[in-house]
Amino acid sequence: MKMVSSFTRTVRSCVLKYTSARYRRRVLIFFIGFLLFWMSPPMRPVRIGLFRFKERQARVLEQSAFLRLAVLTLSAHSRESYRIAETYYTEQRPLFMKAAQEFYLHQYWADAGQHITSIDMGWYELLGIRIKGMADMYRASGRDDFKVEKDKCEMYRFIQLNKLPHCPMIGYWSTKEAFVQAISDGTAMANATRFPVFLKTCHLTQGSSKSTRPLPSAAWAAENADNLANWLAEKWEYRADDWERPWRVDGNVLTDHLTPGILLQSPARLSFNPETHKMQIVEIKVEVFWGRAYAGVSSDIPGIFGGGARFIRGVVAEGDSPNGAIEGFSSKWDHFVAATDRLPRTGPGSWFNWVIDENHLNLCVWPLAEKTARIMGIDAVRIDIFLEQGNPTACSINENSLSDGMGYGHHMEFMSRLWAEPHVRKLYRTYNNRKHIYEQTEADVGILNM
């Protein structure tokens, strides 16, 4: 009894102490003090470091076998989505192996991928091998073929050289002073016919760099020439930083030495969305392996699919069209566990079904992405393509990506295999015509020692 009584008194004493007004005031004062300290300027590097560590780890973790097992255990819906992704891969794999056997891989990409040794390598592991390979070649010999993506000016010159459909270019400038003068005197946009036109800095390709600005009219640009000059001065000195990627050090080697430049580009064609009552961009980012498109992703679908719809080829699940299928997430929980549904025929987001109904994928999106990848002689690349409703054969290239960080859910495991297996089995043929990738044309593919 004495022990129980003593215990009771101790508990009562603790309850009174930790629920007293005085104690609560102390806790509140401590919390406010810690918050002020944590948000103080000297702690900013620590806050940024922790955030960046979390982001880097999240990118690696999202592909981990442990996480995949966890979400598959948690959700039957996710298991069904995984089964569909696996079925799609199983059906497509023979076509991609055949494509690899017939593919001419430029020696630059073969060298960049020489350490791909297992089909079980993850997506970011494969990208890391590529980035390191490109950085090593740049360090050793100054080989800068990566400019086909990392330098927007070279990227668009490559697109123009090969007469690939794109939003028309208005002009290029190698100095910010020349551009500001051209804006001020009206010559910069003398050939512009549609607005807004887009001002882009060539050495910054990451979205986080905020390196693109819309210019609503020539008159507006002339009136705001000083503001544009200040913006360009800031961007001119800025260099991209792959801080959230596992390959940060090697990635920064590629971008640190790019020569700044400026371009002006006409806008993409828009489509009217009756759900939002607005005109909008429609863009699909397409993953191509060995000259064959596998899947695409778009962040432009509103409503329940709120950014992250995927596009695949042919009939995979019941109800799919031969024109392809659109899948995405019906809730935040489904997004967390990578559980997908087909885009509904009614309700939020259903307007987007015109992409399938008008056969945009087969008539233009896949072929354009595949042609571009073949000219680049590249094993794996993302090609971003603009679409216009009602015009299924008039898609156009926006840009490309050599280090794609888009999310594909359960498809990513199988995308990695499609990229890696032909490397492991050496299915492809290589060529080296001594031209940089951004100088290649369709006539150069497979030609040796030009």
Side-chain angles (χ1 to χ4, degrees):
M1 288 295 292
K2 286 184 178 180
M3 288 182 62
V4 173
S5 177
S6 176
F7 175 76
T8 302
R9 285 195 301 270
T10 301
V11 170
R12 183 184 178 194
S13 175
C14 289
V15 169
L16 290 174
K17 177 181 177 181
Y18 294 116
T19 59
S20 68
R22 183 179 179 184
Y23 181 79
R24 290 198 301 271
R25 282 196 301 271
R26 288 179 176 177
V27 171
L28 181 60
I29 291 170
F30 172 81
F31 177 77
I32 293 173
F34 177 79
L35 186 62
L36 291 173
F37 169 73
W38 179 249
M39 298 305 295
S40 65
M43 291 298 292
R44 186 171 184 272
V46 179
R47 295 196 305 272
I48 293 174
L50 287 175
F51 172 75
R52 290 182 171 183
F53 174 78
K54 179 180 73 67
E55 288 294 309
R56 285 194 292 269
Q57 294 306 111
R59 286 186 177 274
V60 176
L61 182 62
E62 74 176 1
Q63 297 179 73
S64 71
F66 174 78
L67 183 59
R68 182 168 63 250
L69 177 62
V71 298
L72 292 175
T73 302
L74 285 171
S75 169
H77 190 179
S78 184
R79 290 194 292 276
E80 175 61 15
S81 298
Y82 182 88
R83 185 194 66 77
I84 292 174
E86 187 175 34
T87 299
Y88 180 57
Y89 163 75
T90 302
E91 293 176 354
Q92 291 290 321
R93 179 182 168 276
L95 300 174
F96 279 84
M97 296 305 106
K98 182 175 184 295
Q101 290 174 328
E102 299 171 353
F103 193 77
Y104 286 97
L105 181 68
H106 194 284
Q107 191 63 47
Y108 180 77
W109 306 118
D111 291 342
Q114 63 182 302
H115 296 296
I116 298 176
T117 56
S118 169
I119 67 170
D120 294 321
M121 287 180 165
W123 184 253
Y124 288 118
E125 188 175 6
L126 295 171
L127 289 177
I129 288 172
R130 166 183 282 178
I131 299 298
K132 185 179 188 306
M134 294 192 296
D136 286 346
M137 284 187 278
Y138 181 74
R139 293 184 185 105
S141 64
R143 190 78 192 235
D144 63 358
D145 297 49
F146 54 83
K147 286 183 178 179
V148 75
E149 181 236 351
K150 301 301 181 186
D151 185 324
K152 286 179 184 173
C153 288
E154 293 295 355
M155 178 178 67
Y156 284 114
R157 288 188 182 108
F158 166 80
I159 291 170
Q160 289 180 293
L161 174 67
N162 286 284
K163 297 180 173 58
L164 299 168
H166 61 284
C167 300
M169 306 306 298
I170 298 170
Y172 298 91
W173 290 264
S174 58
T175 70
K176 55 185 183 297
E177 292 80 12
F179 173 76
V180 172
Q181 178 59 43
I183 283 291
S184 299
D185 63 27
T187 58
M189 286 186 274
N191 298 324
T193 57
R194 297 173 55 240
F195 291 89
V197 300
F198 289 88
L199 165 61
K200 301 181 179 182
T201 52
C202 297
H203 64 296
L204 301 174
T205 60
Q206 298 171 337
S208 60
S209 299
K210 295 181 170 52
S211 60
T212 298
R213 285 191 65 169
L215 307 182
S217 69
W220 183 94
E223 292 171 2
N224 291 271
D226 289 343
N227 176 275
L228 293 175
N230 292 335
W231 182 80
L232 284 170
E234 176 190 339
K235 297 303 178 184
W236 213 258
E237 301 302 323
Y238 186 86
R239 291 297 180 271
D241 181 9
D242 263 344
W243 60 264
E244 85 282 17
R245 306 292 178 94
W247 52 83
R248 178 187 186 185
V249 173
D250 291 316
N252 287 353
V253 168
L254 307 182
T255 55
D256 282 349
H257 301 93
L258 294 174
T259 301
I262 299 166
L263 65 84
L264 279 182
Q265 187 176 25
S266 299
R269 297 288 179 180
L270 305 180
S271 300
F272 179 73
N273 185 340
E275 296 178 11
T276 61
H277 305 288
K278 294 179 181 179
M279 301 295 290
Q280 73 165 76
I281 288 281
V282 178
E283 181 185 38
I284 298 179
K285 303 173 187 290
V286 182
E287 299 292 343
V288 185
F289 303 99
W290 309 104
R292 179 176 171 81
Y294 186 71
V297 65
S298 176
S299 300
D300 297 320
I301 297 184
I304 61 169
F305 276 29
R310 288 83 179 262
F311 299 77
I312 56 177
R313 314 178 71 127
V315 177
V316 182
E318 184 178 352
D320 285 352
S321 164
N323 296 346
I326 306 175
E327 61 183 31
F329 310 106
S330 298
S331 68
K332 291 182 179 180
W333 170 252
D334 285 344
H335 184 271
F336 177 74
V337 296
T340 57
D341 293 297
R342 292 301 191 254
L343 183 70
R345 279 286 165 181
T346 59
S350 59
W351 165 76
F352 217 88
N353 280 296
W354 58 264
V355 174
I356 301 300
D357 296 340
E358 296 178 6
N359 203 15
H360 285 255
L361 301 180
N362 291 330
L363 292 178
C364 195
V365 173
W366 302 144
L368 179 56
E370 291 170 348
K371 180 179 181 179
T372 306
R374 285 195 296 269
I375 296 173
M376 294 173 70
I378 191 169
D379 44 355
V381 66
R382 194 190 81 203
I383 306 295
D384 301 349
I385 297 179
F386 289 131
L387 286 68
E388 180 186 4
Q389 187 178 17
N391 205 351
T393 60
C395 64
S396 60
I397 293 179
N398 178 23
E399 55 190 17
N400 66 56
S401 176
L402 302 178
S403 51
D404 177 25
M406 300 297 291
Y408 287 87
H410 293 310
H411 290 294
M412 293 192 79
E413 172 188 346
F414 304 111
M415 287 164 49
S416 300
R417 293 183 187 179
L418 290 177
W419 182 358
E421 184 175 353
H423 274 289
V424 174
R425 297 173 59 191
K426 304 299 181 187
L427 297 181
Y428 51 84
R429 292 168 282 186
T430 60
Y431 71 102
N432 189 358
N433 54 26
R434 308 304 178 189
K435 281 189 174 183
H436 292 292
I437 300 299
Y438 50 80
E439 298 171 332
Q440 300 287 319
T441 67
E442 197 165 14
D444 298 323
V445 175
I447 302 300
L448 301 177
N449 300 318
M450 287 182 61

